[in-house]
């Protein structure tokens, strides 16, 4: 996820540089590993870009001021392809004499093929990004057509993936052309000036009149107005609306908290993490793989090292990876890894999972694993962070920056990435489940829509949470992949609402924890789908019966159409049908929403709970 701004204006008193820099400051929450601006000036494109926070760009511009202009674009980046360096920062230049500048949000899935074609024709590249490919293609198309909108139309027809592109050309001052597919873009309408942004925060200081674009549309803005066409060239229309948020709310996309916003970004986090994972032949591919296929084929044991929510993602993945690959997987809390004298050698793959890539416990576990000779693979959300740098291979989650301390979208993206890894290993090693990879990938691609459905039906969960604001203890039960979901539900509640909460494997109840059940004790139960093997569904339904008989208030998360739970449930929270291993991607969502609203009902700070930091960089 990156932040994008564009501005054109005439005699308005605003300068493009000021407007763009102000917009970038408001969009910095969308990505902050590098930033840049490009202006169309009398002598051509003038641009500055710098790795690091926006402050670095400000310093650069102060040292090397930009020429006057009426047209500017800017970008604040959250790296996907290519690390957070000056060269990889946007804008990227293209065309003859670098006459065109382009910024991009999203992932161009087929950029390897396009880049190879461009290299064959003698084009050279300055960055490792997918974006520069689009800039080069657009520069060439402009040279051919002399029309930026027509050039954009012909380029987007060749791109696969999700993208918002904004481009300016030296020979078209006063014009910005933008395109969107599965990535956000809004137009801001001013008087003698027009704006573009990834969201309204980009221009909220200047206008509240906005136009939402549909998928697969191209918009051209000039100081006088805007025009829209579809990717197919057909005239299009946007949806005008008035923004009712203030600047602070705009950064949160109109949500009250970053956590709520991030919960709602989960469909995108999953979809983006799946982007670009298959090659032309439908075979799975990973990022930065510095371990040979032979080494991976030889792996006979996997350790997952992670902390907190990331460890629960690892516990979920254990079920799937073992099932698909038949390789034993052990999940170790990273801070315990070194002390358990792990059985690790060069045939062991140690998979670390970390949103931030900076968690010291996880980093130390990775270093220890390397010392023992293991191959290390990092599943991480932050390009350029320490853990991926210290690992042999990386699989990036594409959840975008997670600002709220409580992890939500990163959890779903981590499970998704772990599943991609499991399928990749299965494919590499052949065997029973290798052929299932395509089918599981297809089901995974349908998950974002199902998460949307869950998010659209959370009213009752919010009500229950508000009603339970005085509750002192909540228990969570699950079996199989529902077990880590139960623990994640409990963790969310502890950290956000400061309530005692425990997650148990439902089968463990009878071995002790059932003594905790008293009249009115709230218990969430994650129920596997009726088609889960080993009669697991039936067993969990009996667990619900047992606790209900002892007075528990049962809050049951069950698949659509599962009527068996109804006689024993005080509340049934419905989720769509999935195959058993994919259910955590849906079942955890109501638990996140519950914790969020219970915390809010208690008047607590949802985004920054007490005693906690986003990234724990001490052991
Ligand atoms: O950045 P990481 O994923 O390595 O962080 C690991 C944990 O500290 C993190 O998941 C923590 O448990 C979350 N705040 C929980 O919501």
């Amino acid at each position: 996820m990156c932040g994008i701004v564009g501005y054109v204006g005439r005699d308005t008193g605003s300068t493009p540089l000021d407007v763009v820099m102000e917009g970038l400051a408001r969009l910095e929450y969308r990505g902050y590993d590098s930033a840049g601006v490009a202006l169309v000036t009398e002598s051509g494109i003038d641009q500055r870009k710098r790795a690091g926070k926006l402050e670095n760009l400000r310093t650069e511009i102060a040292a090397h001021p930009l020429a006057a202009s009426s047209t500017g674009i800017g970008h604040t980046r959250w790296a996907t392809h290519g690390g957070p360096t000056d060269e990889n920062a946007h804008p990227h230049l293209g065309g003859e004499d670098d006459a065109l500048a382009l910024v991009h949000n999203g992932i161009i899935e087929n950029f390897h093929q396009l880049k190879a074609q461009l290299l064959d024709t003698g084009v050279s590249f300055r960055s490792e990004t997918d974006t520069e490919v689009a800039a080069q293609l657009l520069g060439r198309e402009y040279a051919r057509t002399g029309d930026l909108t027509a050039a954009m139309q012909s380029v987007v027809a060749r791109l696969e993936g999700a993208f918002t592109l904004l481009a300016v050309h030296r020979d078209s001052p006063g014009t910005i052309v933008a395109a969107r597919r599965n990535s956000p873009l809004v137009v801001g309408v001013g008087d003698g000036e027009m704006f573009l942004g990834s969201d309204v925060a980009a221009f909220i200081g200047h206008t509240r009149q906005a136009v939402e674009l549909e998928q697969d549309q191209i918009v051209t803005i000039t100081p006088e107005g805007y025009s829209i066409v579809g990717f197919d060239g057909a005239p299009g229309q946007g949806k005008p609306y008035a923004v009712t948020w203030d600047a602070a709310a705009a950064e949160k996309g109109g949500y009250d908290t970053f956590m709520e916003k991030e919960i709602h970004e989960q469909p995108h986090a999953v979809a983006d993490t799946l982007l670009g994972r298959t090659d032309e032949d439908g075979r799975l591919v990973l990022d930065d793989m510095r371990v040979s296929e032979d080494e991976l084929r030889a792996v006979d044991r996997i350790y997952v090292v992670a902390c907190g929510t990331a460890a629960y993602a690892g516990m979920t993945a254990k079920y799937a990876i073992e099932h698909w690959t038949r390789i034993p997987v052990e999940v170790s809390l990273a801070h315990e890894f070194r002390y358990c004298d792990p059985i690790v050698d060069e045939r062991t793959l140690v998979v670390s999972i970390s949103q931030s890539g900076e968690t010291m416990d996880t980093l130390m576990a990775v270093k220890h694993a390397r010392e023992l000779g293991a191959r290390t693979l990092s599943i991480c959300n932050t390009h350029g962070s320490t853990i991926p740098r210290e690992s042999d291979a990386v699989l990036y989650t594409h959840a975008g920056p997670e600002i709220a301390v409580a992890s939500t979208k990163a959890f779903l993206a981590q499970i998704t990435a772990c599943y991609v890894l499991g399928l990749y290993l299965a494919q590499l090693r052949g065997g029973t489940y290798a052929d299932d990879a395509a089918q599981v990938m297809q089901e995974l691609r349908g998950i974002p829509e199902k998460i949307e459905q869950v998010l659209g039906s959370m009213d009752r969960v919010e009500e229950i949470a508000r009603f339970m604001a005085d509750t002192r203890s909540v228990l969570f039960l699950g079996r199989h992949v529902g077990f880590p979901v139960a623990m994640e539900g409990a963790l969310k509640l502890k950290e956000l609402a400061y309530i005692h909460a425990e997650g148990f494997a439902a089968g463990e109840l009878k071995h002790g924890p059932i003594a905790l059940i008293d009249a009115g004790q709230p218990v969430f139960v994650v129920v596997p789908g009726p088609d889960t093997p080993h009669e697991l569904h039936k067993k969990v339904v009996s667990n619900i019966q047992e606790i209900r008989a002892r007075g528990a208030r049962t809050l049951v998360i069950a698949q659509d159409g599962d009527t068996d739970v109804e006689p024993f449930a005080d509340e049934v929270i419905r989720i769509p049908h999935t195959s058993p291993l994919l259910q955590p991607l849906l079942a955890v969502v109501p638990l996140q929403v519950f914790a969020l609203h219970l915390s809010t009902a208690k008047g607590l700070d949802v985004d920054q709970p007490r005693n906690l930091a986003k990234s724990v960089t001490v052991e």
Side-chain angles (χ1 to χ4, degrees), residues 307-310 353-357 359 405-407 414 491-492 495 616:
C307 303
T309 293
I353 308 178
S354 175
Q355 187 286 130
S356 60
T359 299
V405 166
S407 193
Q414 286 160 352
L491 175 60
K492 288 285 92 85
E495 67 180 329
V616 185

Side-chain angles (χ1 to χ4, degrees), residues 153-198:
Q153 210 181 309
S154 115
V155 169
V156 292
R158 299 181 61 187
L159 305 182
E160 288 166 19
F163 48 83
T164 299
L165 303 170
L166 253 69
V168 290
H169 196 281
R170 176 190 64 195
D171 300 338
S172 294
T175 302
I176 305 177
V177 175
R180 81 165 281 217
R181 166 176 284 169
N182 293 327
S183 178
L185 176 65
V186 277
V187 180
V189 181
D191 187 8
E193 55 187 353
M194 295 289 296
F195 308 81
L196 291 165
S198 327

Side-chain angles (χ1 to χ4, degrees), residues 319-381:
Y319 293 89
I321 298 177
E322 286 187 339
H323 179 69
W324 291 326
T325 65
R326 310 312 298 153
I327 307 172
V329 179
E330 186 152 343
V331 184
S332 176
L333 291 171
H335 38 84
E336 288 296 315
F337 180 70
R338 272 179 294 169
Y339 315 118
C340 68
D341 198 6
I343 303 164
V344 168
D345 60 23
E346 66 286 346
R347 296 183 70 177
T348 310
L349 179 67
V350 172
V351 177
S352 62
I353 308 178
S354 175
Q355 187 286 130
S356 60
E358 300 296 347
T359 299
M360 186 58 79
D361 290 322
T362 310
L363 175 63
M364 297 316 281
V366 170
K367 287 189 170 170
H368 187 61
R370 292 192 75 170
E371 280 161 20
L372 296 176
R375 302 285 163 268
T376 54
L377 183 147
S378 151
I379 291 182
C380 185
N381 197 41

Side-chain angles (χ1 to χ4, degrees), residues 296-612:
L296 286 175
R297 269 191 211 98
V299 164
D300 63 4
R301 177 196 298 266
I302 296 176
Y303 262 102
V304 176
V305 292
C307 303
T309 293
Y312 296 142
M315 284 179 64
T316 311
K318 170 187 164 74
Y319 293 89
I321 298 177
E322 286 187 339
H323 179 69
W324 291 326
T325 65
R326 310 312 298 153
I327 307 172
V329 179
E330 186 152 343
V331 184
S332 176
L333 291 171
H335 38 84
E336 288 296 315
F337 180 70
R338 272 179 294 169
Y339 315 118
C340 68
D341 198 6
I343 303 164
V344 168
D345 60 23
E346 66 286 346
R347 296 183 70 177
T348 310
L349 179 67
V350 172
V351 177
S352 62
I353 308 178
S354 175
Q355 187 286 130
S356 60
E358 300 296 347
T359 299
M360 186 58 79
D361 290 322
T362 310
L363 175 63
M364 297 316 281
V366 170
K367 287 189 170 170
H368 187 61
R370 292 192 75 170
E371 280 161 20
L372 296 176
R375 302 285 163 268
T376 54
L377 183 147
S378 151
I379 291 182
C380 185
N381 197 41
T382 313
H383 268 255
S385 57
T386 312
I387 295 172
R389 280 207 310 267
E390 291 285 333
S391 304
D392 298 315
V394 190
L395 206 169
Y396 284 108
T397 50
H398 297 309
E402 198 175 59
I403 309 287
V405 166
S407 193
T408 53
K409 61 178 181 171
F411 179 62
L412 265 67
Q414 286 160 352
I415 294 175
T416 306
C418 285
Y419 282 14
V420 170
L421 174 65
L423 294 170
Y424 174 81
L425 292 173
Q427 197 176 59
L428 208 59
R429 298 160 69 91
T432 330
Y433 294 101
D435 299 339
D436 290 354
Q439 190 204 324
V440 181
M441 285 298 284
Q442 194 179 338
E443 194 187 348
L444 276 170
R445 291 194 183 99
I447 288 289
E449 200 181 320
K450 293 183 179 180
I451 301 171
E452 292 285 8
Q453 282 174 40
V454 178
L455 289 169
S457 62
M458 286 294 95
D459 290 357
R460 182 63 189 147
V461 173
E462 292 178 21
E463 247 172 54
I464 299 170
R466 283 195 289 273
F467 176 75
M468 285 174 60
D470 295 330
T471 304
R472 297 175 61 90
S473 154
V474 182
L475 303 181
F476 295 77
L477 302 180
R479 282 181 102 127
H480 184 236
V481 286
F483 172 36
V485 171
M487 290 196 285
E488 172 61 4
L491 175 60
K492 288 285 92 85
L493 202 57
K494 284 183 243 198
E495 67 180 329
L496 289 169
Y498 319 152
I499 287 178
H500 172 256
E502 291 290 330
F504 295 110
E508 187 66 8
L509 265 188
K510 55 188 178 297
H511 299 287
I514 199 162
L516 289 169
I517 306 291
D518 204 352
Q521 169 67 51
V523 185
F524 276 94
V525 187
V526 180
V527 183
D531 52 354
T532 309
H534 310 299
E535 301 204 311
L536 212 58
H537 173 263
K538 214 160 105 189
K539 289 174 189 162
V540 174
V541 174
S542 337
N543 294 142
I544 305 174
Q545 269 176 276
E546 282 157 21
I547 54 170
R548 186 80 171 325
R550 287 161 178 80
R553 178 154 183 259
T554 54
L555 308 150
V556 172
I557 299 175
Q559 286 192 358
D560 286 336
D562 178 358
T563 49
D564 296 350
V565 297
E566 286 172 1
F568 318 109
D570 290 292
E571 300 281 349
V572 184
I573 300 156
R574 293 290 177 188
I575 55 173
H577 177 269
T578 55
S579 57
L581 288 167
L582 270 52
Q583 202 204 40
L585 294 163
L586 305 181
V588 74
V589 176
L591 302 181
Q592 298 167 336
V593 172
F594 175 74
L596 163 78
H597 287 278
L598 208 147
S599 169
T600 310
K602 292 181 76 169
L604 301 173
D605 185 338
V606 171
D607 285 337
Q608 291 179 335
R610 71 184 179 197
N611 307 338
L612 291 170

